[in-house]
Amino acid sequence: MNFRVLGAGLFFCALLSAFSPVESKQGGEFFLLVHFRKYSHHNPFQKGVPFQKRVPAIRLDERTALALLKPGDIPLFAEMHPDESAGRKAYFENVDPETGLGILTLPNDMSRSKKRIPFSHLEPHRNSKICSSFFPTIEWASLENSRALLPLSRISRKEGTEPVRKFLISHGFVCGFTDGSWNAGADLLRRFYFNRGTSPSPFPHPGFIADTSLTPAEENYYFPKGSVGVVVSEVLPGVGPMHNLFPGDAILSVNGIPVSSKDKQSLYDLILRRHGVPVNSGENVHLSLYRDGRRRELSYHLRPYDEDSFLIPERTGKSAPRYLISGGLLFTELTQSYLKEFGEKYKSSAERKLVYLAESFSRKLHPEKKRIVLLSRTFPDEKNRAYQEFQDLILESVNDKIVDSIDGLKEILTTSKDDFYVFRFAGNKIVVFTKDEAKDLDNRIKSLYSLDTLDNVN
């Protein structure tokens, strides 16, 4: 038994009991009205359409609540008791886009509300009699719309029903939460709560994807005789140890413990647990490898899953889509979300080259580019009439300088000492403006479309 973890769990429950004003048979779950903005990836200059959703939450202490968002959602703020005239606001201190967990700071005047929200008790043991029915079996898996690897329990869902995120409550204790397909234990809520000031997400990813479907001939090729392990099929840039770990590397041991099974679950257990307890982001991992007939050693620090280093990310991260307008040309960065705005059949309706790039390079690095910059479309004006049919073109360079991102594009434009801007696109298409022409165009576009700014690059 790990007495350190047990002691922390008992202390946490004692802390909540000491402050709790009401014993809640329902575990203290309540609903927040959370405000969001929906941004268009094709028109990122727009401010975004505001919308609201009711989101389940629990109160953990005097000033802190924990909410269940949908993975990828980026909230603005929440309203407490929106049906009351006061409409008090709660603000998000931390949000993990992969799990959908969010920590909120509650308003000072909570006691003024007619509805008292009790504190919730997190059950410290997933296998306790109170909570064990929610977790018949545990495996490393990802929640719906997420890539984070977590210890979860699969549940059956009727076909055609929408998944519902809610807290799992039994006998007044919070046992964890569910997304309708997977159950997650209260230990994940506790880890997020205690690490909220030190890490955006405490939940690490191994940093690579393993291949377990090998033929006997492939096993003989990758592994030394008599050895068992797992072969790396992909290393995630920005998450895993790029340039040190490679596809085809055979992992033989983790932190000195031999990999005794070809199953990925066993490998994840060795990487993401210590003495049966899940580790947090930042922990060091030591791998023993077999590559090109030689044994090698590798150490790296675990990080949470994120797409900041991907050439073509799935989402735009924690902010609005990046854009820049120059000469009436609207530039943005290629993401999977950009393509999906073409509709459900985007693979056939979007530009084929962009679809090919998204499928081939979505989780990879590029030797010269951080992102693929697109000319999304051209704002119509007499001075750029010749380019108004230009759309969904990949921008290669400006004044013969390679464009590696929207940030890089802005730097080229602002530091250029040339009298002209020469935009060169894939397919040998070129756009040319003098600096004065581009400036005049931008001023008219900014006024005509009531734009506050021509870019959202800091």
Side-chain angles (χ1 to χ4, degrees):
M1 179 181 294
N2 191 313
F3 291 98
R4 182 179 64 178
V5 174
L6 175 60
L10 293 175
F11 170 77
F12 187 73
C13 283
L15 177 67
L16 292 180
S17 299
F19 283 111
S20 181
V22 180
E23 176 66 26
S24 173
K25 294 183 180 180
Q26 300 302 318
E29 185 183 66
F30 65 100
F31 284 88
L32 295 164
L33 186 66
V34 181
H35 293 247
F36 303 86
R37 282 193 185 276
K38 182 177 178 59
Y39 294 97
S40 168
H41 294 265
H42 289 186
N43 300 294
F45 57 90
Q46 295 177 342
K47 294 181 179 179
V49 179
F51 68 99
Q52 300 83 36
K53 287 194 297 187
R54 280 168 53 86
V55 169
I58 53 176
R59 188 180 180 190
L60 297 181
D61 58 40
E62 286 285 354
R63 295 293 311 281
T64 308
L66 193 150
L68 293 180
L69 307 168
K70 179 183 176 182
D73 278 354
I74 306 300
L76 299 175
F77 63 90
E79 284 187 74
M80 306 289 299
H81 306 306
D83 52 329
E84 296 182 5
S85 59
R88 299 175 188 85
K89 293 182 179 179
Y91 293 95
F92 284 88
E93 176 185 337
N94 190 20
V95 175
D96 179 13
E98 291 303 320
T99 60
L101 297 179
I103 291 284
L104 298 105
T105 301
L106 301 177
N108 282 317
D109 55 354
M110 286 287 292
S111 60
R112 287 173 47 195
S113 174
K114 298 176 183 178
K115 298 179 181 179
R116 299 184 68 194
I117 301 174
F119 295 144
S120 293
H121 301 264
L122 298 182
E123 172 57 45
H125 303 295
R126 184 193 289 121
N127 295 326
S128 69
K129 291 182 179 179
I130 294 174
C131 297
S132 59
S133 62
F134 293 119
F135 309 101
T137 58
I138 298 296
E139 60 183 291
W140 292 100
S142 300
L143 297 165
E144 296 284 336
N145 303 304
S146 172
R147 300 280 186 172
L149 272 179
L150 305 169
L152 304 174
S153 184
R154 188 190 299 270
I155 59 176
S156 59
R157 192 176 86 210
K158 292 183 180 179
E159 188 175 348
T161 59
E162 288 293 325
V164 177
R165 293 176 70 86
K166 62 182 180 179
F167 290 96
L168 301 172
I169 297 172
S170 178
H171 297 82
F173 285 90
V174 178
C175 296
F177 67 97
T178 183
D179 67 355
S181 299
W182 298 93
N183 287 349
D187 56 312
L188 298 181
L189 303 178
R190 190 177 302 106
R191 286 166 64 190
F192 188 67
Y193 173 80
F194 278 118
N195 287 275
R196 67 190 188 278
T198 59
S199 172
S201 172
F203 311 116
H205 191 281
F208 62 88
I209 296 173
D211 185 2
T212 56
S213 57
L214 301 177
T215 65
E218 288 173 326
E219 291 178 2
N220 290 334
Y221 174 80
Y222 286 115
F223 293 97
K225 188 174 182 179
S227 297
V228 176
V230 178
V231 173
V232 175
S233 61
E234 183 179 1
V235 184
L236 303 178
V239 185
M242 288 292 293
H243 312 302
N244 288 306
L245 188 67
F246 300 93
D249 285 350
I251 300 177
L252 303 178
S253 70
V254 179
N255 297 326
I257 303 175
V259 179
S260 59
S261 172
K262 303 174 186 177
D263 182 22
K264 284 191 289 189
Q265 293 292 328
S266 300
L267 179 66
Y268 294 154
D269 269 330
L270 291 176
I271 294 175
L272 301 176
R273 292 186 194 272
R274 298 286 190 279
H275 309 294
V277 179
V279 300
N280 291 332
S281 298
E283 292 284 344
N284 188 67
V285 174
H286 186 85
L287 303 179
S288 293
L289 313 172
Y290 191 72
R291 180 195 305 157
D292 297 331
R294 292 177 53 194
R295 288 180 178 269
R296 303 168 189 267
E297 307 296 322
L298 166 65
S299 292
Y300 68 103
H301 289 91
L302 291 172
R303 297 182 57 179
Y305 181 91
D306 71 69
E307 301 182 343
D308 289 346
S309 299
F310 292 6
L311 178 64
I312 305 174
E314 177 75 22
R315 302 188 286 256
T316 54
K318 297 184 179 181
S319 60
R322 313 266 280 166
Y323 77 92
L324 182 147
I325 298 170
S326 178
L329 308 179
L330 172 61
F331 296 99
T332 188
E333 294 176 342
L334 178 61
T335 63
Q336 295 276 0
S337 297
Y338 180 91
L339 293 175
K340 289 177 180 178
E341 281 194 11
F342 283 98
E344 292 183 2
K345 298 181 179 180
Y346 71 90
K347 290 186 178 181
S348 58
S349 58
E351 173 64 37
R352 288 186 179 182
K353 183 172 184 178
L354 302 184
V355 175
Y356 167 77
L357 288 172
E359 292 180 344
S360 303
F361 298 97
S362 61
R363 295 188 297 195
K364 293 180 173 61
L365 291 174
H366 188 278
E368 296 179 327
K369 297 185 178 183
K370 299 175 184 176
R371 291 281 193 276
I372 292 179
V373 176
L374 294 176
L375 167 58
S376 180
R377 64 187 178 91
T378 303
F379 291 98
D381 189 275
E382 284 294 321
K383 295 295 184 180
N384 60 19
R385 182 186 300 175
Y387 311 124
Q388 288 173 17
E389 298 301 317
F390 284 18
Q391 183 174 343
D392 292 333
L393 299 178
I394 298 173
L395 179 62
E396 298 287 0
S397 67
V398 176
N399 296 355
D400 293 327
K401 294 183 178 179
I402 293 175
V403 176
D404 66 350
S405 62
I406 286 290
D407 300 75
L409 173 58
K410 184 172 182 177
E411 183 177 359
I412 292 172
L413 295 176
T414 54
T415 60
S416 175
K417 296 181 180 180
D418 298 322
D419 295 327
F420 290 81
Y421 291 140
V422 180
F423 299 89
R424 191 177 298 275
F425 300 91
N428 294 321
K429 292 187 176 181
I430 298 176
V431 171
V432 180
F433 294 116
T434 67
K435 282 187 175 179
D436 290 337
E437 286 175 336
K439 185 177 180 180
D440 290 342
L441 271 166
D442 290 340
N443 288 335
R444 288 201 296 273
I445 294 299
K446 189 174 181 181
S447 174
L448 182 61
Y449 287 86
S450 302
L451 302 179
D452 295 328
T453 179
L454 293 171
D455 68 75
N456 59 356
V457 180
N458 295 327

